[in-house]
Short mmCIF file of all heavy atoms in Angstrom, two decimals:
data_model
loop_
_atom_site.label_atom_id
_atom_site.label_comp_id
_atom_site.label_asym_id
_atom_site.label_seq_id
_atom_site.Cartn_x
_atom_site.Cartn_y
_atom_site.Cartn_z
N MET A 1 -2.33 -5.08 19.74
CA MET A 1 -2.24 -4.30 18.50
C MET A 1 -3.11 -4.94 17.42
O MET A 1 -3.20 -6.16 17.33
CB MET A 1 -0.77 -4.24 18.04
CG MET A 1 -0.55 -3.38 16.80
SD MET A 1 1.20 -3.28 16.38
CE MET A 1 1.80 -2.37 17.79
N ASP A 2 -3.73 -4.13 16.61
CA ASP A 2 -4.61 -4.63 15.56
C ASP A 2 -3.84 -5.55 14.62
O ASP A 2 -2.74 -5.25 14.19
CB ASP A 2 -5.15 -3.43 14.76
CG ASP A 2 -6.31 -3.82 13.88
OD1 ASP A 2 -6.17 -4.80 13.12
OD2 ASP A 2 -7.35 -3.15 13.96
N THR A 3 -4.43 -6.69 14.30
CA THR A 3 -3.74 -7.65 13.46
C THR A 3 -3.46 -7.11 12.07
O THR A 3 -2.59 -7.62 11.37
CB THR A 3 -4.57 -8.94 13.33
OG1 THR A 3 -5.87 -8.61 12.84
CG2 THR A 3 -4.71 -9.64 14.67
N LEU A 4 -4.19 -6.06 11.68
CA LEU A 4 -3.95 -5.51 10.34
C LEU A 4 -2.58 -4.88 10.20
O LEU A 4 -2.09 -4.70 9.10
CB LEU A 4 -5.03 -4.47 10.01
CG LEU A 4 -6.41 -5.00 9.66
CD1 LEU A 4 -7.38 -3.86 9.47
CD2 LEU A 4 -6.36 -5.85 8.41
N ILE A 5 -1.95 -4.50 11.31
CA ILE A 5 -0.66 -3.83 11.20
C ILE A 5 0.48 -4.68 11.71
O ILE A 5 1.59 -4.23 11.82
CB ILE A 5 -0.68 -2.46 11.92
CG1 ILE A 5 -0.86 -2.64 13.42
CG2 ILE A 5 -1.74 -1.56 11.36
CD1 ILE A 5 -0.68 -1.35 14.20
N GLU A 6 0.21 -5.92 12.04
CA GLU A 6 1.28 -6.79 12.47
C GLU A 6 2.13 -7.22 11.28
O GLU A 6 1.67 -7.26 10.14
CB GLU A 6 0.71 -8.05 13.14
CG GLU A 6 0.09 -7.78 14.50
CD GLU A 6 -0.49 -9.03 15.11
OE1 GLU A 6 -0.49 -10.08 14.42
OE2 GLU A 6 -0.93 -8.96 16.27
N THR A 7 3.40 -7.54 11.57
CA THR A 7 4.25 -8.12 10.54
C THR A 7 3.65 -9.44 10.11
O THR A 7 3.16 -10.19 10.94
CB THR A 7 5.67 -8.33 11.10
OG1 THR A 7 6.19 -7.08 11.51
CG2 THR A 7 6.58 -8.94 10.06
N PRO A 8 3.64 -9.73 8.81
CA PRO A 8 3.04 -10.98 8.34
C PRO A 8 3.58 -12.19 9.09
O PRO A 8 4.75 -12.25 9.44
CB PRO A 8 3.44 -11.02 6.85
CG PRO A 8 3.63 -9.59 6.48
CD PRO A 8 4.18 -8.93 7.70
N ARG A 9 2.71 -13.15 9.37
CA ARG A 9 3.10 -14.35 10.10
C ARG A 9 4.16 -15.13 9.33
O ARG A 9 4.16 -15.16 8.10
CB ARG A 9 1.88 -15.24 10.34
CG ARG A 9 0.88 -14.65 11.30
CD ARG A 9 -0.21 -15.65 11.62
NE ARG A 9 -0.99 -16.00 10.45
CZ ARG A 9 -2.05 -15.33 10.05
NH1 ARG A 9 -2.45 -14.26 10.71
NH2 ARG A 9 -2.74 -15.71 8.98
N PRO A 62 6.36 -1.31 9.39
CA PRO A 62 5.61 -0.05 9.29
C PRO A 62 5.50 0.69 10.61
O PRO A 62 5.42 1.92 10.62
CB PRO A 62 4.23 -0.51 8.79
CG PRO A 62 4.13 -1.94 9.20
CD PRO A 62 5.52 -2.49 9.13
N VAL A 63 5.50 -0.03 11.72
CA VAL A 63 5.42 0.62 13.03
C VAL A 63 6.70 1.40 13.31
O VAL A 63 6.67 2.57 13.71
CB VAL A 63 5.14 -0.41 14.14
CG1 VAL A 63 5.24 0.23 15.52
CG2 VAL A 63 3.76 -1.04 13.94
N PHE A 125 2.99 -0.93 2.75
CA PHE A 125 1.84 -1.82 2.64
C PHE A 125 1.47 -2.11 1.18
O PHE A 125 0.98 -3.19 0.86
CB PHE A 125 0.64 -1.25 3.39
CG PHE A 125 0.77 -1.39 4.88
CD1 PHE A 125 0.76 -0.26 5.69
CD2 PHE A 125 0.89 -2.63 5.47
CE1 PHE A 125 0.87 -0.39 7.07
CE2 PHE A 125 0.99 -2.76 6.85
CZ PHE A 125 0.97 -1.65 7.66
N ARG A 128 3.17 -5.19 -0.98
CA ARG A 128 2.84 -6.53 -0.53
C ARG A 128 1.65 -6.98 -1.36
O ARG A 128 0.97 -6.16 -1.97
CB ARG A 128 2.46 -6.53 0.97
CG ARG A 128 3.57 -6.02 1.88
CD ARG A 128 3.13 -6.01 3.34
NE ARG A 128 4.19 -5.51 4.20
CZ ARG A 128 4.12 -5.49 5.54
NH1 ARG A 128 3.04 -5.95 6.16
NH2 ARG A 128 5.14 -5.02 6.25
N GLN A 130 -2.01 -7.61 -1.99
CA GLN A 130 -3.04 -6.84 -1.31
C GLN A 130 -4.42 -7.01 -1.94
O GLN A 130 -4.55 -7.42 -3.09
CB GLN A 130 -2.69 -5.35 -1.36
CG GLN A 130 -1.61 -4.90 -0.40
CD GLN A 130 -2.10 -4.92 1.05
OE1 GLN A 130 -3.18 -5.40 1.36
NE2 GLN A 130 -1.29 -4.40 1.95
N ILE A 131 -5.42 -6.64 -1.14
CA ILE A 131 -6.70 -6.18 -1.68
C ILE A 131 -6.83 -4.74 -1.21
O ILE A 131 -6.31 -4.37 -0.15
CB ILE A 131 -7.89 -7.05 -1.20
CG1 ILE A 131 -8.06 -6.99 0.32
CG2 ILE A 131 -7.75 -8.47 -1.70
CD1 ILE A 131 -9.35 -7.64 0.80
N GLU A 133 -9.19 -2.89 0.00
CA GLU A 133 -9.87 -2.62 1.26
C GLU A 133 -8.92 -2.79 2.44
O GLU A 133 -8.87 -1.96 3.36
CB GLU A 133 -11.07 -3.56 1.43
CG GLU A 133 -12.17 -3.38 0.37
CD GLU A 133 -11.97 -4.25 -0.85
OE1 GLU A 133 -10.82 -4.69 -1.12
OE2 GLU A 133 -12.97 -4.49 -1.56
N LYS A 134 -8.15 -3.89 2.43
CA LYS A 134 -7.22 -4.14 3.53
C LYS A 134 -6.08 -3.13 3.53
O LYS A 134 -5.66 -2.66 4.59
CB LYS A 134 -6.67 -5.56 3.44
CG LYS A 134 -5.75 -5.92 4.61
CD LYS A 134 -5.36 -7.40 4.60
CE LYS A 134 -4.36 -7.69 3.51
NZ LYS A 134 -3.82 -9.09 3.61
N LEU A 135 -5.59 -2.79 2.35
CA LEU A 135 -4.53 -1.80 2.23
C LEU A 135 -4.94 -0.48 2.86
O LEU A 135 -4.18 0.14 3.61
CB LEU A 135 -4.19 -1.61 0.74
CG LEU A 135 -3.22 -0.50 0.38
CD1 LEU A 135 -1.87 -0.70 1.05
CD2 LEU A 135 -3.06 -0.42 -1.14
N THR A 136 -6.16 -0.04 2.57
CA THR A 136 -6.68 1.22 3.13
C THR A 136 -6.72 1.15 4.65
O THR A 136 -6.29 2.09 5.34
CB THR A 136 -8.09 1.50 2.58
OG1 THR A 136 -8.06 1.45 1.14
CG2 THR A 136 -8.59 2.87 3.03
N ALA A 137 -7.22 0.05 5.17
CA ALA A 137 -7.33 -0.11 6.62
C ALA A 137 -5.97 -0.19 7.29
O ALA A 137 -5.75 0.39 8.36
CB ALA A 137 -8.15 -1.36 6.94
N GLN A 138 -5.02 -0.89 6.66
CA GLN A 138 -3.70 -1.03 7.26
C GLN A 138 -3.01 0.32 7.42
O GLN A 138 -2.39 0.60 8.46
CB GLN A 138 -2.84 -1.95 6.40
CG GLN A 138 -3.21 -3.41 6.52
CD GLN A 138 -2.40 -4.27 5.56
OE1 GLN A 138 -2.11 -3.88 4.43
NE2 GLN A 138 -2.04 -5.46 6.01
N ILE A 139 -3.10 1.16 6.40
CA ILE A 139 -2.47 2.48 6.48
C ILE A 139 -3.07 3.30 7.60
O ILE A 139 -2.36 3.86 8.44
CB ILE A 139 -2.60 3.21 5.12
CG1 ILE A 139 -1.83 2.47 4.03
CG2 ILE A 139 -2.09 4.65 5.24
CD1 ILE A 139 -2.16 2.93 2.63
N ALA A 140 -4.39 3.38 7.63
CA ALA A 140 -5.08 4.19 8.65
C ALA A 140 -4.85 3.65 10.05
O ALA A 140 -4.55 4.41 10.99
CB ALA A 140 -6.58 4.26 8.34
N ASP A 141 -4.97 2.34 10.22
CA ASP A 141 -4.84 1.75 11.55
C ASP A 141 -3.43 1.89 12.11
O ASP A 141 -3.24 2.06 13.31
CB ASP A 141 -5.25 0.28 11.52
CG ASP A 141 -6.73 0.09 11.27
OD1 ASP A 141 -7.47 1.09 11.29
OD2 ASP A 141 -7.15 -1.06 11.05
N THR A 142 -2.43 1.81 11.24
CA THR A 142 -1.06 1.97 11.71
C THR A 142 -0.80 3.39 12.19
O THR A 142 -0.19 3.61 13.24
CB THR A 142 -0.06 1.60 10.59
OG1 THR A 142 -0.31 0.26 10.16
CG2 THR A 142 1.37 1.71 11.09
N SER A 145 -2.56 3.78 15.52
CA SER A 145 -1.94 3.01 16.59
C SER A 145 -0.62 3.63 17.06
O SER A 145 -0.34 3.71 18.25
CB SER A 145 -1.70 1.58 16.14
OG SER A 145 -1.03 0.83 17.12
N ARG A 179 -11.13 4.93 4.90
CA ARG A 179 -11.19 4.56 6.32
C ARG A 179 -11.06 5.84 7.12
O ARG A 179 -10.08 6.58 6.98
CB ARG A 179 -10.11 3.58 6.70
CG ARG A 179 -10.28 3.00 8.13
CD ARG A 179 -9.48 1.73 8.26
NE ARG A 179 -9.54 1.10 9.55
CZ ARG A 179 -10.46 0.21 9.92
NH1 ARG A 179 -11.44 -0.10 9.08
NH2 ARG A 179 -10.42 -0.37 11.09
#
Side-chain angles (χ1 to χ4, degrees):
M1 183 177 294
D2 194 309
T3 56
L4 285 176
I5 65 172
E6 289 179 354
T7 300
R9 292 187 296 272
V63 173
F125 285 120
R128 300 179 181 186
Q130 284 289 8
I131 62 171
E133 297 90 338
K134 183 172 74 172
L135 173 60
T136 307
Q138 286 175 323
I139 295 167
D141 291 351
T142 302
S145 177
R179 189 161 180 88

